[in-house]
Amino acid sequence: MIFHKLLGRHTADLKASHWEKGYFISHCTTCGREMIKEPGLPWQITGRGA
């Protein structure tokens, strides 16, 4: 978990993602932090943590 935080390699849980207000919303499979994806852009960690 420490290396995950240092390297920042977050992976979205695609099976649990959903569409909300024009964005895809998911959570990181390792740390559980919320992730967001705008159409055409890569997944990003949101300011709203888990």
Side-chain angles (χ1 to χ4, degrees), residues 2-48:
I2 293 172
F3 289 116
H4 176 72
K5 287 183 181 180
L6 290 174
L7 298 175
R9 293 186 181 182
H10 300 277
T11 305
D13 183 359
L14 299 179
K15 291 181 181 178
S17 65
H18 62 277
W19 186 257
E20 184 178 309
K21 298 180 184 176
Y23 302 99
F24 286 108
I25 307 293
S26 188
H27 290 87
C28 177
T29 57
T30 304
C31 66
R33 290 182 64 191
E34 188 176 66
M35 298 182 76
I36 191 168
K37 182 182 186 308
E38 296 181 51
L41 296 175
W43 284 100
Q44 299 176 359
I45 293 293
T46 65
R48 304 181 300 186

